[in-house]
């Protein structure tokens, strides 16, 4: 069994990881570290786990764990790793932004399996992609792979309130979110950097703008993104291109049906739909921001790192009705 640990155990992404790992056939959840909840039962915070585990939050780590998931606030993973040592055999999967951009001061591999599966399999350190970045990159990556992303891309995406984390703010209270809708960080969302990095990995000369408008939806979880750009080819050519690119992807699928969030919420799937309007290709992408956009993808990466079936522990039922 793989001995796993979670750092920062009280948040949404940690809660999802705990649920997945408790039911993973190859994993023993060794410890859940939390500075805010030490000694308390895990199910006292993640209350749907009553009867599933008697594990308690710990303020100590197991430095010999086989894999450790960092579910810390952005900027805190680097600090934690500088203050805490794990064995040379411990694999690290970070769910923050801290290591997503390539740099000479770290060896983290960007953990988007549809792009970097080979590198993930041999990696010791993984930077898990952001939720918006996952949905948007998967929507347009096949165009970059064939050097066809040569015009501006316009993206409009809506996320649920869990994307903001558990800490309350003026825009996460029920009274603000209910029957409400708003845009934020227009053209300047932090995930644009990692999206651009992934595109340039396949299309070296890519320099076109990604015009991204993120929106807050009045629902708890899920991302619905629409992206469009100029595409001079025929619609059948686009479908063939996408089907070929994702032929070996176990969680990314194309459909010709209308898309909605209930198809993917509570799963690790990304579902895409293509439409052609004149010289424009419209790609709709839907994911669960906490699973394919965070914890599910982290477990998918763990499976690849340890040579397991990529879907192990991730055969999850969508909350369809």
């Amino acid at each position: 069994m793989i001995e796993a640990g979670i750092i920062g155990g009280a948040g949404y992404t940690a809660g999802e990881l705990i649920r997945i790992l408790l039911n993973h056939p190859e994993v023993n959840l060794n410890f859940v570290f939390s500075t805010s909840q030490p000694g308390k039962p895990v199910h006292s915070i993640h209350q749907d786990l009553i009867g599933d585990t008697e594990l308690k939050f710990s303020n100590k780590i197991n430095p010999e764990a086989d894999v450790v998931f960092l579910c810390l606030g952005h900027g805190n993973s680097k600090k934690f790793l500088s203050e805490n040592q794990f064995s040379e055999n411990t694999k690290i999967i970070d769910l923050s932004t801290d290591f997503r951009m390539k740099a000479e001061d770290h060896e983290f591999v960007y953990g988007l399996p549809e792009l970097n599966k080979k590198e993930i399999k041999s990696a010791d350190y993984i930077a898990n992609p952001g939720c918006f970045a996952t949905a948007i990159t998967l929507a347009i990556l096949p165009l970059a792979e064939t050097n066809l992303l040569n015009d501006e891309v316009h993206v409009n995406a809506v996320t649920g309130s869990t994307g903001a984390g558990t800490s309350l703010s003026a825009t996460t209270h029920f009274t603000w979110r209910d029957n409400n809708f708003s845009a934020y960080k227009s053209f300047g969302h932090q995930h644009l950097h990692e999206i651009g990095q992934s595109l340039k990995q396949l299309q070296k000369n890519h320099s076109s703008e990604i015009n991204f408008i993120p929106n807050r939806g009045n629902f708890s979880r899920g991302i619905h993104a629409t992206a469009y750009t100029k595409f001079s080819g025929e619609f059948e050519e686009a479908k063939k291109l996408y089907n070929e690119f994702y032929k070996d992807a176990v969680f990314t699928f194309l459909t010709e049906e209308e898309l909605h969030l209930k198809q993917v919420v509570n799963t690790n799937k990304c579902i895409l739909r293509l439409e052609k309007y004149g010289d424009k290709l419209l790609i709709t992408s839907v994911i669960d921001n906490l699973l394919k956009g965070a914890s599910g993808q982290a477990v998918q990466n763990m499976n690849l790192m340890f040579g397991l079936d990529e879907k192990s522990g991730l055969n999850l039922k969508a909350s369809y009705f």
Side-chain angles (χ1 to χ4, degrees):
M1 299 289 279
I2 296 167
E3 296 295 324
I6 295 173
I7 308 297
Y12 289 135
T13 56
E16 290 298 270
L17 267 172
I18 293 166
R19 295 178 187 100
I20 296 170
L21 296 179
L22 284 175
N23 293 288
H24 195 293
E26 305 292 340
V27 173
N28 176 58
L29 186 52
N30 188 281
F31 70 92
V32 180
F33 178 91
S34 174
T35 55
S36 64
Q37 311 294 332
K40 293 183 180 179
V42 166
H43 62 66
S44 68
I45 300 299
H46 306 295
Q47 295 182 1
D48 58 316
L49 294 177
I50 293 173
D52 293 337
T53 180
E54 296 303 317
L55 197 65
K56 293 183 178 180
F57 291 108
S58 172
N59 58 3
K60 295 180 180 179
I61 65 170
N62 176 3
E64 300 298 322
D66 297 312
V67 61
V68 171
F69 297 88
L70 303 181
C71 299
L72 299 167
H74 302 309
N76 293 328
S77 292
K78 282 186 177 180
K79 184 174 185 291
F80 183 86
L81 290 177
S82 70
E83 295 174 350
N84 296 271
Q85 298 296 315
F86 292 95
S87 82
E88 61 180 16
N89 297 318
T90 301
K91 298 181 186 296
I92 305 291
I93 300 175
D94 179 37
L95 280 76
S96 79
T97 63
D98 290 19
F99 300 103
R100 290 176 188 163
M101 301 305 295
K102 290 182 179 178
E104 294 183 358
D105 65 347
H106 70 77
E107 299 177 356
F108 280 73
V109 171
Y110 188 68
L112 188 67
E114 292 82 356
L115 176 64
N116 292 323
K117 185 177 292 189
K118 181 179 177 182
E119 293 80 1
I120 293 167
K121 286 181 176 180
S122 59
D124 291 323
Y125 308 105
I126 293 293
N128 217 55
C131 52
F132 272 133
T134 297
I136 296 167
T137 303
L138 292 177
I140 56 180
L141 205 55
L143 297 175
E145 201 265 343
T146 48
N147 291 305
L148 293 175
L149 204 57
N150 298 312
D151 210 308
E152 288 187 310
V153 181
H154 299 270
V155 183
N156 194 291
V158 189
T159 187
S161 57
T162 52
T166 56
S167 298
L168 286 175
S169 67
T171 58
T172 59
H173 282 279
F174 176 81
T175 50
W176 194 92
R177 285 267 182 168
D178 186 44
N179 292 315
N180 205 359
F181 189 92
S182 65
Y184 69 108
K185 295 183 181 178
S186 296
F187 302 105
H189 196 278
Q190 63 272 16
H191 289 183
L192 281 168
H193 301 296
E194 57 187 282
I195 294 169
Q197 177 179 258
S198 295
L199 297 177
K200 286 182 178 179
Q201 185 176 327
L202 294 185
Q203 185 172 334
K204 306 297 184 186
N205 66 344
H206 179 263
S207 59
S208 303
E209 292 283 347
I210 307 293
N211 301 298
F212 174 33
I213 309 297
N215 301 283
R216 305 179 184 95
N218 64 340
F219 51 89
S220 295
R221 57 196 291 170
I223 288 176
H224 185 288
T226 52
Y228 67 89
T229 189
K230 286 187 177 180
F231 181 79
S232 59
E234 298 296 325
F235 183 52
E236 291 302 318
E237 180 185 343
K239 288 199 294 184
K240 182 178 179 182
L241 187 157
Y242 273 73
N243 280 314
E244 178 65 23
F245 189 87
Y246 290 120
K247 66 180 180 181
D248 297 323
V250 300
F251 287 112
T252 300
F253 308 97
L254 268 73
T255 182
E256 296 186 8
E257 306 297 328
E258 292 281 354
L259 285 177
H260 56 86
L261 288 179
K262 284 192 174 184
Q263 292 167 279
V264 295
V265 167
N266 201 46
T267 80
N268 197 51
K269 293 179 183 178
C270 173
I271 305 181
L272 305 171
R273 185 189 187 208
L274 305 180
E275 298 171 82
K276 187 83 162 34
Y277 296 96
D279 64 348
K280 296 181 179 64
L281 183 67
L282 172 66
I283 310 102
T284 305
S285 173
V286 290
I287 67 168
D288 184 318
N289 59 295
L290 293 179
L291 288 171
K292 184 58 173 167
S295 305
Q297 187 152 245
V299 173
Q300 185 181 356
N301 282 318
M302 179 200 74
N303 289 339
L304 290 169
M305 295 168 83
F306 284 90
L308 305 176
D309 181 339
E310 195 172 346
K311 297 179 74 173
S312 187
L314 293 170
N315 290 304
L316 306 170
K317 179 191 177 298
S319 300
Y320 195 70
F321 52 82

